[in-house]
Amino acid sequence: MGTKAKGTDESSPRVIPVAEGEDPWTKTELKQLRAQLQDEAEAFGQKYDIAQASLTQLFSEGTDMAGRDPADVGFSNIERDQEMSLVAHARELFEQSEMSLKLFDEGRYGVCEICDLPIGKLRLQAFPRATMCMSCKQLTERRL
């Protein structure tokens, strides 16, 4: 699948907001963060491609269940459902990585999509694909 985002212009430094009490991002940290986002996007893109190919192969093996043992048919259905779930998850991770990379390159990375406050340096270092600050993330998970 590959990534679509282009590299950053080294001459224009990115300003990523930090939470209160955190040190500003250094140029080295920003370079490492972008490289990590790029690596994740590529890795998740490859995983998505592999999962999609596996699912395609599973479907191409045919769905003719005539004469097959019901247990075999059930197992095949479970295997197909599991593979579809893996493909959906791999795609979601790839899309999250691509979006984070795009936001980084556009200078909109590090701002909570809910409250518009900084996500926080520590959170982004731990989970670079984060799109919400801890407070908003906790609130949305309580609602689920």
Side-chain angles (χ1 to χ4, degrees):
M1 205 168 202
T3 61
K4 300 172 199 154
K6 303 212 187 252
T8 59
D9 180 4
E10 295 295 327
S11 64
S12 61
R14 299 285 177 217
V15 177
I16 297 176
V18 294
E20 191 173 319
E22 292 181 330
D23 292 329
W25 292 89
T26 65
K27 287 183 180 182
T28 301
E29 288 172 330
L30 290 175
K31 195 174 195 174
Q32 290 171 343
L33 180 62
R34 191 186 186 292
Q36 182 179 358
L37 289 170
Q38 180 74 40
D39 291 346
E40 283 184 1
E42 290 173 5
F44 289 133
Q46 290 173 357
K47 287 180 183 179
Y48 172 71
D49 289 343
I50 290 167
Q52 185 66 43
S54 179
L55 182 63
T56 300
Q57 180 181 357
L58 208 79
F59 278 116
S60 70
E61 290 174 356
T63 57
D64 182 20
M65 304 295 176
R68 292 184 59 194
D69 183 275
D72 289 340
V73 172
F75 180 76
S76 293
N77 289 339
I78 290 170
E79 185 179 21
R80 186 173 50 244
D81 289 347
Q82 182 180 14
E83 201 63 40
M84 287 170 51
S85 178
L86 290 172
V87 169
H89 183 68
R91 181 183 182 112
E92 182 179 336
L93 292 173
F94 173 71
E95 288 174 352
Q96 286 175 359
S97 297
E98 282 284 294
M99 180 56 71
S100 294
L101 199 53
K102 180 181 176 188
L103 291 172
F104 188 94
D105 289 344
E106 292 175 353
R108 300 183 296 134
Y109 181 78
V111 177
C112 179
E113 66 184 21
I114 306 291
C115 69
D116 288 328
L117 293 175
I119 291 172
K121 184 177 181 179
L122 292 176
R123 176 154 167 73
L124 290 172
Q125 286 174 325
F127 186 65
R129 295 183 319 276
T131 59
M132 288 182 258
C133 67
M134 284 300 297
S135 298
C136 291
K137 182 64 175 173
Q138 289 170 345
L139 284 173
T140 58
E141 287 190 359
R142 283 187 202 134
R143 291 182 190 148
L144 297 177

